[in-house]
C-alpha cells in the first residue's frame, strides 16, 4: 500500500477517510494512494467495510470523514475528468436470471457504451470466460460459478482502465480463478489499475499492494 500521499495526476488518493453505518463507525483515519498501473487488494475481518470502501472509491457513497481525490480534484467532481468511467463489479450477481449470458452481456454493453454490441466480440468474451456451451441458456439454469463467469466476461469488453472488483473470486473453481488472475495481470501490464476485495491469496504475477481494513476499525472485531 502506498502510505505516502502523492499528488501525481495518476493517483487515486484517500486522506483520513472514515465511514459509519447508523451509529457505528465502520472505519476511520484511512489514508493511502493508488497509482495507475497497479493492483491493490483490500482485505479484513467481516464487517470491516471492504465493500463500503469500494463504493466510496467509485463515488456511490461519500465519506463521512476525510476526503478522496483523483487527478488532483476532490471527490465532489467524481470521475467526470476521467477518460473512461471506472468499472465496478458488485459482489452481488447484478444480472438478469431470465436472460442468457449472451443477452445479459449485450444489454450491459449497450447500457454502458450507448452503442449496439458487436455479436462477435460478445461471443468471444463469453467463450473466453468458459461459457461456450451455455451462451443462450437462461442464467437461472446455470451454476453459481457459471453465473459469475457471465458477469466477469464484462471485463473483456469494458474500455475502462480502472477496475473496482468486490470479491471477484467468489464462486469460481480453480480453473476460473486462474483465468481471472491472468486477466488481471494482462490489464495491469497494459497500464490498467485494479482495486479488489478478497480474503484469498491472489496468484498473479504482479506485485500486490495490500490494505488491511481491520486496522482502521474502531474495535477491530467481527460484526
Amino acid at each position: 500500500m502506498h502510505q505516502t500521499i502523492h499528488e501525481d495526476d495518476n493517483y487515486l488518493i484517500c486522506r483520513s477517510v472514515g465511514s459509519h453505518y447508523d451509529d457505528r463507525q465502520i472505519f476511520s483515519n484511512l489514508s493511502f494512494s493508488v497509482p495507475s498501473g497497479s493492483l491493490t487488494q483490500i482485505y479484513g475481518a467481516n464487517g470491516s467495510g471492504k465493500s463500503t470502501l469500494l463504493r466510496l472509491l467509485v463515488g456511490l457513497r461519500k465519506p463521512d470523514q476525510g476526503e478522496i481525490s483523483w487527478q488532483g480534484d476532490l471527490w465532489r467532481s467524481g470521475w467526470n475528468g476521467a477518460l473512461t468511467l471506472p468499472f465496478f463489479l458488485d459482489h452481488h450477481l447484478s444480472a438478469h436470471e431470465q436472460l442468457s449470458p449472451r443477452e445479459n452481456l449485450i444489454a450491459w454493453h449497450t447500457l454502458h457504451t450507448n452503442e449496439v454490441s458487436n455479436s462477435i466480440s460478445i461471443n468471444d468474451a463469453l467463450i473466453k470466460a468458459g461459457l461456450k456451451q451455455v451462451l443462450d441458456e437462461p442464467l437461472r439454469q446455470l451454476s453459481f460459478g457459471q453465473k459469475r463467469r457471465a458477469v466477469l466476461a464484462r471485463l473483456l469488453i469494458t474500455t475502462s482502465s480502472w477496475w473496482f472488483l468486490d470479491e471477484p473470486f467468489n464462486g469460481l473453481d480453480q480453473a476460473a480463478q486462474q483465468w481471472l488472475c491472468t486477466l488481471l495481470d494482462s490489464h495491469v501490464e497494459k497500464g490498467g489499475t485494479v482495486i479488489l476485495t478478497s480474503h484469498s491469496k491472489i496468484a498473479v504475477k504482479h506485485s500486490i499492494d495490500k490494505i488491511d481494513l481491520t486496522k482502521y476499525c474502531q474495535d477491530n472485531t467481527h460484526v
Side-chain angles (χ1 to χ4, degrees), residues 27-86:
F27 56 80
S28 61
N29 201 31
L30 175 61
S31 296
F32 64 91
S33 59
V34 177
S36 60
S38 66
L39 197 160
T40 300
Q41 178 182 3
I42 302 168
Y43 67 101
N46 292 335
S48 58
K50 299 180 294 295
S51 296
T52 298
L53 179 55
L54 274 192
R55 289 180 172 273
L56 291 176
L57 296 178
V58 298
L60 293 177
R61 291 184 57 168
K62 293 183 179 181
D64 295 302
Q65 298 94 34
E67 62 184 33
I68 301 174
S69 62
W70 186 79
Q71 287 194 340
D73 294 325
L74 292 181
W75 207 236
R76 58 177 175 269
S77 299
W79 289 80
N80 294 336
L83 293 177
T84 59
L85 293 175

Side-chain angles (χ1 to χ4, degrees), residues 32-209:
F32 64 91
S33 59
V34 177
S36 60
S38 66
L39 197 160
T40 300
Q41 178 182 3
I42 302 168
Y43 67 101
N46 292 335
S48 58
K50 299 180 294 295
S51 296
T52 298
L53 179 55
L54 274 192
R55 289 180 172 273
L56 291 176
L57 296 178
V58 298
L60 293 177
R61 291 184 57 168
K62 293 183 179 181
D64 295 302
Q65 298 94 34
E67 62 184 33
I68 301 174
S69 62
W70 186 79
Q71 287 194 340
D73 294 325
L74 292 181
W75 207 236
R76 58 177 175 269
S77 299
W79 289 80
N80 294 336
L83 293 177
T84 59
L85 293 175
F87 174 90
F88 174 60
L89 180 70
D90 199 349
H91 65 275
H92 299 295
L93 189 58
S94 301
H96 296 282
E97 291 276 351
Q98 305 303 317
L99 301 180
S100 68
R102 192 203 312 265
E103 291 169 329
N104 265 290
L105 195 53
I106 289 175
W108 180 87
H109 186 262
T110 303
L111 178 64
H112 287 79
T113 65
N114 294 319
E115 298 176 359
V116 176
S117 301
N118 185 319
S119 61
I120 296 177
S121 65
I122 294 295
N123 290 348
D124 187 50
L126 292 169
I127 290 172
K128 289 182 178 179
L131 298 173
K132 183 177 181 179
Q133 306 302 322
V134 293
L135 291 178
D136 296 306
E137 297 293 329
L139 240 60
R140 67 177 186 275
Q141 296 182 8
L142 306 185
S143 69
F144 182 71
Q146 288 175 320
K147 294 175 182 179
R148 292 291 295 172
R149 286 172 180 251
V151 173
L152 288 166
R154 299 170 185 174
L155 293 171
L156 293 166
I157 62 173
T158 181
T159 58
S160 176
S161 60
W162 286 73
W163 294 358
F164 296 82
L165 313 178
D166 197 359
E167 300 290 352
F169 292 95
N170 278 4
L172 299 182
D173 59 21
Q174 185 174 2
Q177 290 182 32
Q178 292 176 346
W179 166 74
L180 179 55
C181 285
T182 300
L183 192 57
L184 299 179
D185 271 324
S186 177
H187 185 62
V188 174
E189 286 175 2
K190 296 174 183 177
T193 308
V194 179
I195 303 176
L196 59 82
T197 65
S198 179
H199 292 286
S200 307
K201 182 178 179 180
I202 304 173
V204 293
K205 297 178 181 178
H206 286 82
S207 61
I208 303 174
D209 296 319

